[in-house]
Structures are given as C-alpha cells and as structure tokens.
Amino acid sequence: MSKTVSFITENFDKYDPSSIESYLSIGGFTAVKKALSMSSAEIIEIAKKSSVKGRGGAAYDTGRKWAQAAAVPGNDKVVICNADEGEPCTFKDRNILSKDPFRLLEGMIIAGYTVGAKNGYIYLREEYRHLRPLIKNAIQQSLEKNFLGENILGSGFTFHIHLYSGAGAYVCGEGSTLIESIEGRSGRPRIKPPFIKERGLFQLPTLVNNVETLAIATAVIQNGVEEYLKYGTPECPGTKIISLAGNVKCPGAYEIPFGLTLREIIYDIGGGTPDGHELKLFQLGGASGKIGSPALIDTPYTYEDLRKVNLGIGSGGILVVDDRTRVIDFIKSIQDFFIHESCGKCTPCREGNRQIAKIVDRFVQGTPKPDDLETAVRFANIMKNCAFCGLGETAQSALLSAIDHFPEEFGKTNVGGNTEVAAK
Amino acid sequence: MKNVKIKIDNIEVIVPENTTILEAAKKVNINIPHLCYHPDQQVKANCRLCVVEVACSKKLTAACSFYVFEGMEVHTNTRKVRDMQKGILELILANHDQNCLKCLRNGNCELQALCQRFNISKTNLEEAVDALPLDNTNPSLVRDSAKCVKCNRCVEVCQKVQEVHVLTHSHRSVHYNIAPAYEAPLEETFCVFCGQCSAVCPVGAIVEKDDTAKVWDAIYDPGMHVIVQVAPAVRVALGDAFNLPNGTIVTGKMVAALRRLGFDRIFDTNFTADLTIMEEGTELIRRVMNGGTLPMITSCSPGWINFIEGRYDHLLDHLSTCKSPQQMFGALSKSYYAEKMGLDPKKIFTVSVMPCTAKKYEAQRPEMVTNGVREVDAVLTTRELARMIQSAGIDFVGLEEDQFDNPFGIGTGAGAIFGATGGVMEAALRTVYEIMTGKGLPSLDFTEVRGLQGIKEAAVKINDLEIKIAVAHGLGNAKVLLKQIERGESPYTFIEVMACPGGCIGGGGQPIPSTMQVKGQRLASIYRIDQDLPLRKSHKNPDVAKLYEEYLGEPLGHKSHELLHTHYRSRGMKYNFSELMKSAGGK
C-alpha cells in the first residue's frame, strides 16, 4: 500500500464531512481565501503550471480550459461540476463526494471566481442520490459561513451552487447532454457549434469540470503547485485517483502518483488476481475504454506511455479480468451496456450497436458467420468515425482493441503478417 | 458578414462565414448525401450521412452542422468518406422495411434515391425490422414506424412549427422511436391531422391515408352519380407531381384528367369559397353591428379547427360558424344539386380533392351530414389525385385544357386566393367593404396580408369604422394570437388562421417536396390566377347570386343556417395515463 499517495485525498477520513466546523478545523477553505486574494490570470497560470488534465476522461488541459472560459465575454457564466460518474468501474468521484464534499465546493468556487461565473451546478449521478443530503448540507453550511452566496468573504465575488440530478443515463456524463438534462429535456447531446463554453446551460457561457479536477484545483491552490509537481514523472507529473476493480484481491479507489506501472497497480496495490488465476486482460477508463493484454503489464501509468501502446487513462478506471472470463463474454457485457445506454439519436450509434450486438451474440454462441468479424470491424469503425457524440465514438473501443490483442478469440489467425478470417 | 475562402474537393469557393459545409458544397455543384437535413428546418445532424473529411481532423465531420472557416479543406468523395456513408446507409436499411414497391413513397423517397446513388445491392447485415405497430386507425394519416429513419423532421414540424406537441421521441437506443406520448394512436392525442409531418418525412413513415380505392369503387359503380370538387390550392401544385416546374397552373389539364378518370361532373371549390365569403362576411358585419364576440376567426381550415377544439376550447365562440368551403359544397351537393338534377342524395357520391389531410377527418365529423347522408363521401389529397391520374395511364402534361361544369363551375379571384395565406381575409375585405360602404374599393389588392411572414396585420377603414385584422399561418403563429385574445389584449376585429405554413398551398397533402421555396412559387401562381380572372369579388359571382335567388334566400338566412353553418365542440380529450402506460408496455 506504500505506493499510494495522499494529495487530492489528503482530507479523506480526517474530518466529519457533514460539519463545516470540522472541515475548518483542518484548514478548510484556505484555498478559497487564497484564491480570492489572487487575480483570475494568476490562478489560470497555476492551473496551467500544474498541467492537470480533465479527469472525466477526455483529458483536456484544465489551465487551457479555464483560460478559454475566462476569455469568453459575458458577465453571467456558469460552472458545472460533472458528478455523473457513469463509467462502469469508476467510483473515484463518489469517494470525493462522500469523504470530502467541501473540497469540491472550494474547487467550484475557485473555478467560478477564475472564469467569472455567478452560478455553479453540481450534476450528481442519479444513482448517487444517497449523497444528496450530504452535499446539500455542505452547500447550506458554506452559505451560512459566507463561503458561498453574496459577496463571499467581502471579496465582492458572488457565487451560488445548485444541486441537480437526472433520471439516470450514462450519456448524461457528456457535457452538452448533461446540460440538456439540467434544462429538463431528455438526455441527448447537442450539436456543436455552438460550443458550450460559449453557449451552454441556459445559453450562458459554461465551464464543465469533473469532480476530481475541481478537487485537485483546491489541493493545488492550498498546498502550492510545486508540492503537486513533486509527484509523478517529469513528463507526467502529479497524482491521480484510480478506481481499481474486477478480479483483484483489494479493489478500491486509490490515489497514485503518475508513472507507476500497471503491474505495480494491479499486483502491489490491488494484490493481484485472486485464487491463483491468471490475468487475462484489463480495461482502462471504463466501458468506453480500450482493452490491454498482459503483455502490456509493465507500461507506466501516464498519459504518454499509455498512448504509445494505444491505451488511455480515461476516467481512471482499471478493470482487471482473469482467466475465468472469455474475452468474447467480456465484450458481450460491454455491448449489452451500450445497447442499454445509447441515446438512440444518431444512426451509427443506434443502428451500429444493434447490428454489432447480433454479431457479438453469435461469437458468444460459437456460431459466427464467415464475414461477421469483418462486418463488426467495419461498422465499429463507422461508429468511431461518424457517431454524434463521444458515446458512439468510443462504444466499440473495447471490441476493436480486443480483436487487436486477442485475434484468436475471434477465430482470426495471423499468417505472415496478413490477418485472415478463419473459415468456420 | 465576413467571407471565407475554402476548398472542397480541391475546388475553391468563397462563402459567408456562417455557411455550413453542406451549403458551401452546393455552391460548387457537390450534393453531399443527407436525410435529416431539410432546407426549412433546424440542423439536426443525427442521420450522419453527410460526413466528410476535413483536413487536420481525425474523425469525420457532419457537413450539415459544421461551419466553414478560412482555409478549410474538405474532401467529400474519398474512399473513407464513401465507405462510411455507404455503411451508414446500410445500417439504416437493415432496420427499414424494404417493401418499396408497396410503399406510397416509391419513386419519391429520399432514402430510395440515396440507395440508388450508392448502388446498394448487398449487405452483410442482418435485416430484421424492429418496429412499433402500424398506426392507421384515424381518417387522415398512417404512421409506419418500420419505415421511420428517426430523422426527427416530423418532430420539429409538430413541435416547433405547429406547436401541437404530439410527435416526440420515446425510449432510447434500439428502442428509440418517434411516436406520440405513450405511443398512443394519433386519434387519442391532440393531433390536428394537418399532415405537415407527412410533408417533411423523407420516406414513407408518415403518409396520407389512401382513399383512392374508395373513389375508384364509386366511379365503377353504375348506380352512382360521382361528382368532384377541387380546392383552389390543388391547381398550382398538382403539376409538381408530373415534373412540371413548381407552381405551374394546371387548372384546365386537371379538369380534363378528372373527366377522363370518369367523374360525372367536375366542380370548383372556388365557388363555395365565394359562398363562404358571402356567409362569413355577413356574419362579420352582424357581429360588428350587434356587439357579437370579436375578434371573429375564420373556420375553413380543419387542422385549425381541430387545434382550437383541442387546446383552446374556451375560445370557440370566436370561430365563425361557417362550414368550410369543402363542407358547404358537400351540403349543397346533397340538397340543392340533388334537387336540381332530380337525383336521390343517396345516389350522389361527392369527392373532394384537397391539399389537406385534415379534410379527410373533417368530412367524417358526425355533424357533417345533410339529408341523412354524408356531405362529402371521400377526400383525396393532391398526391392521391396524382396517383389516380398516373394509374389510369393518363399523359397529364399532354392533355388539352377542359373547363369546370355548372352550376358550381364559376369561381372568382376572391375564391381562388383562399389557397394562399391571407387570401380569405383579402377576399372577405373586398366583399365586406363594398357591402358596408356601397362603394367600390380603390384597390382590390391588400398586399399587407400577402406573403410568408408568420403573422400579418393591417387596418382598414370602412365608413367611420377602423377595422384591425390579422392573418396567421402555421399553428404556432395562431397560438400567439389566441394568447392575445386570452389576455383580453387582442386589438383585432377579424382574424384569418390557416393551419399550414403558407396556407393551403402548403397543405399536408400537397406534392412532396413542399419546401418554403416551392410554396413561394405556388403562392405567386395563386395571385396570378386572381389577377387574370374577370371576376375578383365573391359578391359578383353570378352563380352564387343565382343560388341565393333560387334556393338559399339570403346570407345567414334559414336555409343557409341549416346547410352552411355548423357548431364546434371541445375535443375533451382526457388522457387516461394509467391505461396508456399499460398499453405502451414497459420497455
């Protein structure tokens, strides 16, 4: 366990998350106080220096995003905290929300102050409804102490935070869909442009950040960016909360420095696969993430190193699967998930999933048609290239990467570098 | 607006910066495939057929929703683009009823045209259609979800243009469907049957209910005297179905074709449009003089009647009590005409050709009965008439012109412009002004009420009275005027409402495509007809005068009241949510 660190999660279990007094007693809200004494440009500079990338999955540079949001003209902007943690095998945000809600609020206040927003919205995953009282309480107490509301701590900055939940749809984690949901419509993505940074919630300029991203912002302002940069590798500094689950002995959310290898994460932190089973595969970043094979186990967990082997950090989920599960059965579970969660709006995602599901079912039953693999790859690529939103674009990441790493499981043999579909 | 220079397939083009790739490509004669895009509607970008390659972008880009920028390089015809577009088309087809030969849109289907263009012959996909049951239990429209491509054009027209809010999307993913709430059949909703959804549908998922067989049966029945009336808007649209330039005036050929189809008499609804003006104009004068409910609102658009009876039933007193010209004709055909011809009304089969799907519903309303028989026995849309002419093997374009028969064959220019938004208003003003002042109008053209602006208004001075009038087309626009009345703020004396954008020339039963551009051409033709007619005022129609003299007596007289006027009722549709939930089933 010594390989884990505690920077973003430093407050976990150190205070009573239902009490602002308790939070203040461990130095809570010093980040907000510090931020209010700085200029927007100074905070953006710190964010850029931290090189924190968005932790929802898209990994967009936070400093850059804040700079763009601050540059959009308008005196009524919105900050949204995306707490719709819908990726399967991802539960890091739930840990922050339940163990350190005040740090998240601080992050939103800082973001709001930086970009010039008047209102913040927390879009909480419907399935996390049990956390609503805790978060509402944190908002209420912060209001009472004037860390929220009018003229915060006499700084002249006014900011309110509102809590929203949808009806429980994975696609609502996509920024524009989330906004549609808050506005009361069914969860379907919007056309871009206009981009939500210019016209988002209620047509106002909108900044959307993930829970973890906002929590890091608080931690970085509070402890200083140099403190954060001490972690990780020179190329990929800092820490990340991962959600480790599946066939590991010790599943859980862990904060790690970037640069640990997947082997260290799965075996040293997670305790390895149980009951002497062999590692079969792992999936990074939730259901929309790619699959890796044991051959890649020594890859360092950084954006750059993973990209080199065609993997990604995504939401930070690490799902470990041992040899008790067939690759195709695993793929079926992913396919079932997307058949359930596609919003149905665009042709590639709605019809592509429908057709690929039929092919996957035939592979599961061992009765694929001769051209099924080719057809599945063709339409998976159409989804990847043509779908309306990120859901459709990534829904077949698992299938395509599984075919790359485990061709034999799809009846495909490599002959002299030419891939060939074996006749059934 | 700044101009930007871009390259599409290496062809340089300069366009304003708020132009989409799709529109820019059109300028250099490149037609990027598309299904959900419609020139009169908002960009939806959900069919994804218009994907193209933009240099520097890894993914493909939807041409309909992406705007050009300086220096952009677009490729619309690479192997990757074509493969992807073809694949998307195969995906649509795999879940689409491919019984094209039996589809009403066979030959005029955007999906079919694309399949031809991409030479789709075989696919590896399993073709099994997952669809809701057919919705064909109302008199006007048939919805077949097995053909729906989920483009959402119908949803937009229903919600944003007509503001009827009946069609919407239900469920998600593979269960995603376009349907009314709880997947109820249309007649159990507030659907007004305007058919605008069928006019924008790219495929055969929403079509008019076909009544051609009923009409053929009547024609072939030797015991039946089959007569037909044709609405003013049909003659400027029917030619579209025979590849004539949009808006061509085909009145004479249309009459000739109807004669060849075997109708015993061919009459002009323009005649009863003139009659409507006599009745409605007199009603307006009486309401103004006697302190009746004002503003008075026209009642000739059945989609509009369905709308107000459904959603604004507390304002029914504002409606003119006049039946529509279709029903006035029907009533006279089973009374005056029957007597004049010495025929048993039961042996007369009255057909109307209308630009409208709601007319089918109107004809079946229980109160539309005269002398114990249905006033109008069958309603054909313009599209159905075109199909009858085609199926009879008539070379429409080559026909010599023929003329309407008597006694309902003369229509004035005032009757003709009923087909255009603002036309009923203009026709009424021509007559009301002259009756009330006893003087001739300085100019017959009330140009303020012409054109495609959503709400038009004007003020007319009649004697010492200034009358404010308004014209709305499209139910969304009508709603604005109704809300004004609700608030007690309506400044108007008389309001014309047409359910369909553009008026009847843009009716839900007109040949497809029926875009705003096409509607503009039809409008121009309607006014040309008016301009060219020797008689342009309803009260100068000699046959109308004769009808009053011989039969009706006077406008709003006893006989008129009995035959030409009606009453309205609340649709009183009470949703039974729990029942609907049960029948929709849990998905």
Side-chain angles (χ1 to χ4, degrees):
Chain A
M1 290 296 278
S2 61
K3 297 205 164 157
T4 60
V5 294
S6 161
F7 184 82
I8 315 168
T9 59
E10 62 186 337
N11 295 340
F12 281 23
D13 306 318
K14 299 269 171 60
Y15 78 97
D16 173 6
S18 67
S19 160
I20 196 166
E21 299 294 352
S22 174
Y23 185 60
L24 289 168
S25 74
I26 61 157
F29 284 103
T30 48
V32 162
K33 286 178 199 157
K34 265 180 149 175
L36 292 178
S37 70
M38 291 191 262
S39 71
S40 164
E42 283 168 332
I43 299 172
I44 289 169
E45 209 41 56
I46 292 172
K48 280 186 175 166
K49 209 167 164 192
S50 73
S51 81
V52 169
K53 294 184 174 59
R55 297 295 166 87
Y60 192 79
D61 188 85
T62 303
R64 212 165 136 199
K65 197 173 195 177
W66 284 19
Q68 289 170 345
V72 173
N75 52 12
D76 192 1
K77 298 183 193 171
V78 172
V79 170
I80 294 177
C81 167
N82 185 345
D84 190 63
E85 188 173 41
E87 278 295 353
C89 190
T90 306
F91 40 89
K92 60 180 180 82
D93 295 343
R94 186 181 66 206
N95 277 267
I96 296 171
L97 291 160
S98 57
K99 293 182 174 181
D100 198 1
F102 286 104
R103 172 160 276 191
L104 170 65
L105 297 191
E106 280 202 74
M108 291 183 71
I109 297 162
I110 294 167
Y113 173 73
T114 307
V115 305
K118 284 184 181 158
N119 285 286
Y121 292 79
I122 299 174
Y123 187 81
L124 183 72
R125 172 167 205 215
E126 202 275 338
E127 291 86 342
Y128 290 173
R129 69 182 85 83
H130 62 285
L131 296 174
R132 289 182 64 88
L134 186 73
I135 297 167
K136 279 173 93 167
N137 174 64
I139 293 171
Q140 186 54 38
Q141 292 187 350
S142 303
L143 264 172
E144 285 163 8
K145 296 272 184 203
N146 194 221
F147 291 112
L148 272 177
E150 303 297 315
N151 189 16
I152 294 173
L153 305 177
S155 65
F157 172 58
T158 294
F159 192 69
H160 289 272
I161 293 182
H162 316 269
L163 180 62
Y164 271 77
S165 287
Y170 169 80
V171 70
C172 289
E174 193 274 340
S176 70
T177 314
L178 183 159
I179 286 169
E180 285 282 293
S181 177
I182 294 182
E183 289 185 5
R185 284 184 288 275
S186 47
R188 299 212 159 82
R190 280 186 188 171
I191 290 175
K192 292 162 208 152
F195 294 98
I196 52 182
K197 67 180 172 199
E198 280 144 7
R199 269 192 282 151
L201 184 63
F202 309 128
Q203 298 295 310
L204 299 172
T206 302
L207 170 75
V208 183
N209 276 140
N210 170 264
V211 172
E212 186 186 345
T213 312
L214 291 164
I216 300 173
T218 311
V220 166
I221 299 283
Q222 185 172 325
N223 301 318
V225 67
E226 281 72 21
E227 216 29 59
Y228 179 70
L229 295 174
K230 283 179 186 166
Y231 296 98
T233 68
E235 202 182 16
C236 186
T239 71
K240 168 88 188 89
I241 311 179
I242 55 164
S243 312
L244 182 61
N247 299 139
V248 283
K249 286 181 194 155
C250 312
Y254 301 99
E255 183 175 2
I256 59 160
F258 283 111
L260 293 187
T261 64
L262 288 164
R263 186 188 295 280
E264 286 173 293
I265 294 169
I266 294 171
Y267 288 93
D268 297 349
I269 296 175
T273 47
D275 307 327
H277 287 288
E278 291 290 314
L279 174 69
K280 177 89 179 203
L281 61 88
F282 50 86
Q283 185 181 30
L284 302 188
S288 64
K290 288 171 183 164
I291 280 174
S293 74
L296 301 172
I297 192 82
D298 289 311
T299 311
Y301 193 77
T302 69
Y303 291 102
E304 296 76 14
D305 291 297
L306 289 171
R307 194 179 303 126
K308 282 179 209 153
V309 296
N310 203 18
L311 288 168
I313 282 176
S315 66
I318 300 175
L319 180 60
V320 179
V321 178
D322 69 25
D323 56 11
R324 284 171 291 180
T325 302
R326 288 193 302 165
V327 173
I328 190 63
D329 290 327
F330 180 74
I331 291 299
K332 174 152 171 64
S333 74
I334 301 287
Q335 187 58 46
D336 286 349
F337 175 76
F338 282 108
I339 277 275
H340 188 251
E341 294 295 349
S342 164
C343 83
K345 173 179 175 135
C346 77
T347 313
C349 187
R350 181 186 65 245
E351 302 301 331
N353 273 318
R354 188 199 307 270
Q355 297 298 335
I356 290 171
K358 292 179 188 175
I359 295 175
V360 167
D361 280 347
R362 287 197 287 270
F363 273 110
V364 168
Q365 282 149 21
T367 56
K369 295 182 189 169
D371 45 19
D372 266 356
L373 184 61
E374 189 194 336
T375 308
V377 170
R378 178 175 173 227
F379 287 98
N381 274 308
I382 287 171
M383 289 175 67
K384 187 176 159 185
N385 277 282
C386 309
F388 191 100
C389 80
L391 188 154
E393 287 168 4
T394 56
Q396 297 304 332
S397 298
L399 175 71
L400 288 171
S401 53
I403 293 171
D404 279 346
H405 290 299
F406 305 98
E408 68 288 350
E409 302 246 356
F410 295 86
K412 195 170 140 186
T413 50
N414 274 306
V415 184
N418 292 319
T419 51
E420 212 175 66
V421 179
K424 284 270 163 184
Chain B
M1 185 65 61
K2 229 173 73 188
N3 279 335
V4 296
K5 193 196 277 180
I6 65 165
K7 268 186 182 175
I8 306 180
D9 297 340
N10 298 317
I11 305 164
E12 219 163 69
V13 54
I14 296 171
V15 288
E17 63 182 349
N18 66 338
T19 309
T20 62
I21 298 174
L22 189 94
E23 291 161 344
K26 272 188 193 164
K27 296 232 175 349
V28 286
N29 303 310
I30 296 168
N31 187 4
I32 298 172
H34 53 78
L35 257 187
C36 65
Y37 169 87
H38 186 284
D40 301 338
Q41 294 200 345
Q42 290 173 0
V43 170
K44 302 177 181 59
N46 57 36
C47 79
R48 313 306 286 177
L49 271 168
C50 66
V51 288
V52 293
E53 279 191 89
V54 174
C56 303
S57 172
K58 268 190 277 176
K59 292 179 307 180
L60 297 189
T61 301
C64 71
S65 65
F66 207 83
Y67 295 91
V68 296
F69 54 79
E70 183 64 37
M72 180 188 238
E73 279 185 43
V74 180
H75 293 279
T76 73
N77 219 355
T78 60
R79 168 173 288 264
K80 185 176 181 186
V81 167
R82 280 182 59 81
D83 281 355
M84 297 273 160
Q85 290 175 340
K86 193 171 176 184
I88 293 169
L89 210 44
E90 284 176 43
L91 283 173
I92 294 172
L93 269 191
N95 194 41
H96 180 89
D97 179 359
Q98 293 181 38
N99 222 335
C100 294
L101 293 179
K102 293 177 184 165
C103 178
L104 284 189
R105 292 292 296 272
N106 186 23
N108 183 18
C109 168
E110 294 178 38
L111 180 61
Q112 204 177 40
L114 285 168
C115 289
Q116 201 165 22
R117 172 170 162 184
F118 279 85
N119 195 16
I120 302 271
S121 52
K122 106 174 229 309
T123 171
N124 291 335
L125 298 177
E126 201 172 89
E127 288 166 354
V129 182
D130 185 8
L132 296 172
L134 196 69
D135 176 8
N136 65 348
T137 41
N138 69 81
S140 294
L141 295 163
V142 178
R143 292 193 323 110
D144 185 353
S145 90
K147 292 174 186 164
C148 177
V149 295
K150 282 90 177 173
C151 69
N152 273 269
R153 287 184 188 176
C154 58
V155 174
E156 179 172 331
V157 85
C158 192
Q159 299 200 1
K160 301 266 169 68
V161 179
Q162 298 298 64
E163 296 189 31
V164 170
H165 296 283
V166 164
L167 291 177
T168 183
H169 32 69
S170 62
H171 304 291
R172 63 190 196 194
S173 188
V174 295
H175 301 301
Y176 181 71
N177 258 305
I178 308 300
Y182 307 105
E183 285 152 13
L186 287 179
E187 68 275 19
E188 287 175 23
T189 73
F190 279 118
C191 175
V192 301
F193 305 105
C194 68
Q196 285 300 311
C197 49
S198 71
V200 294
C201 183
V203 294
I206 311 181
V207 294
E208 65 279 10
K209 184 152 221 178
D210 186 276
D211 285 314
T212 56
K214 219 194 278 182
V215 175
W216 281 120
D217 284 349
I219 288 173
Y220 288 134
D221 182 344
M224 273 291 169
H225 179 78
V226 187
I227 63 173
V228 62
Q229 58 165 324
V230 193
V234 175
R235 66 206 66 184
V236 294
L238 181 64
D240 293 12
F242 298 94
N243 298 322
L244 289 167
N246 293 130
T248 305
I249 300 166
V250 295
T251 320
K253 290 183 193 298
M254 175 182 77
V255 176
L258 288 165
R259 185 122 25 232
R260 288 205 187 182
L261 287 175
F263 288 101
D264 292 300
R265 290 288 188 284
I266 295 135
F267 296 123
D268 195 348
T269 309
N270 292 15
F271 174 87
T272 37
D274 282 331
L275 189 62
T276 302
I277 289 302
M278 297 307 294
E279 295 291 327
E280 200 165 273
T282 312
E283 185 184 359
L284 178 67
I285 293 167
R286 283 214 193 153
R287 287 201 194 199
V288 171
M289 297 308 197
N290 305 339
T293 306
L294 292 173
M296 185 174 95
I297 315 179
T298 60
S299 58
C300 32
S301 167
W304 153 240
I305 298 299
N306 292 340
F307 183 74
I308 189 170
E309 286 185 333
R311 306 270 195 184
Y312 289 86
D313 51 1
H314 51 296
L315 299 178
L316 291 177
D317 286 346
H318 289 271
L319 284 176
S320 158
T321 61
C322 287
K323 284 181 185 170
S324 69
Q326 159 173 286
Q327 294 306 135
M328 284 196 183
F329 178 94
L332 289 173
S333 75
K334 303 293 169 85
S335 55
Y336 169 70
Y337 179 74
E339 282 174 40
K340 206 173 164 82
M341 298 287 286
L343 289 165
D344 177 358
K346 287 190 188 62
K347 294 287 172 198
I348 298 173
F349 192 90
T350 302
V351 177
S352 42
V353 184
M354 295 284 144
C356 181
T357 49
K359 289 281 177 196
K360 289 174 184 279
Y361 180 92
E362 181 188 37
Q364 295 200 14
R365 290 173 69 111
E367 65 273 20
M368 296 300 178
V369 165
T370 288
N371 285 330
V373 290
R374 208 130 278 288
E375 292 167 353
V376 174
D377 297 283
V379 179
L380 299 174
T381 59
T382 312
R383 297 196 288 268
E384 287 164 276
L385 174 60
R387 285 203 294 276
M388 283 186 76
I389 295 170
Q390 280 152 353
S391 85
I394 296 166
D395 172 12
F396 184 78
V397 178
L399 289 179
E400 281 201 27
E401 307 213 337
D402 195 349
Q403 283 189 330
F404 287 112
D405 297 317
N406 284 325
F408 308 126
I410 296 179
T412 69
I417 57 174
F418 261 60
T421 164
V424 177
M425 178 60 69
E426 189 169 344
L429 289 178
R430 288 178 191 175
T431 290
V432 168
Y433 183 92
E434 296 202 354
I435 289 179
M436 286 184 79
T437 62
K439 286 189 288 204
L441 266 170
S443 162
L444 288 187
D445 299 337
F446 290 85
T447 47
E448 304 98 306
V449 297
R450 295 186 181 183
L452 287 170
Q453 198 190 323
I455 296 174
K456 296 165 279 187
E457 52 176 9
V460 188
K461 196 144 193 218
I462 302 180
N463 297 332
D464 292 333
L465 202 65
E466 195 184 60
I467 291 187
K468 282 201 166 131
I469 51 132
V471 171
H473 58 117
L475 294 169
N477 293 321
K479 211 183 225 178
V480 175
L481 299 181
L482 287 175
K483 290 211 183 281
Q484 236 176 9
I485 297 174
E486 261 181 348
R487 295 193 303 266
E489 292 169 4
S490 180
Y492 307 113
T493 304
F494 189 29
I495 294 174
E496 175 204 298
V497 176
M498 292 293 156
C500 293
C504 304
I505 51 101
Q510 294 281 59
I512 297 166
S514 187
T515 58
M516 282 318 233
Q517 192 205 343
V518 172
K519 287 176 197 178
Q521 287 160 309
R522 291 175 187 160
L523 275 184
S525 295
I526 285 269
Y527 288 112
R528 203 171 323 124
I529 292 174
D530 170 37
Q531 200 67 44
D532 292 348
L533 278 169
L535 298 170
R536 295 182 63 199
K537 298 174 224 169
S538 298
H539 55 288
K540 301 289 184 191
N541 184 326
D543 283 354
V544 169
K546 194 167 151 205
L547 174 67
Y548 277 113
E549 202 179 289
E550 280 182 9
Y551 193 69
L552 292 173
E554 55 176 1
L556 297 188
H558 174 69
K559 200 91 181 160
S560 285
H561 184 77
E562 191 185 306
L563 291 171
L564 309 182
H565 290 259
T566 185
H567 55 273
Y568 307 100
R569 56 174 193 272
S570 165
R571 284 173 84 184
M573 205 165 289
K574 299 283 177 280
Y575 283 100
N576 185 333
F577 286 110
S578 59
E579 282 301 307
L580 284 166
M581 286 291 272
K582 258 186 254 161
S583 62
K587 270 219 179 101

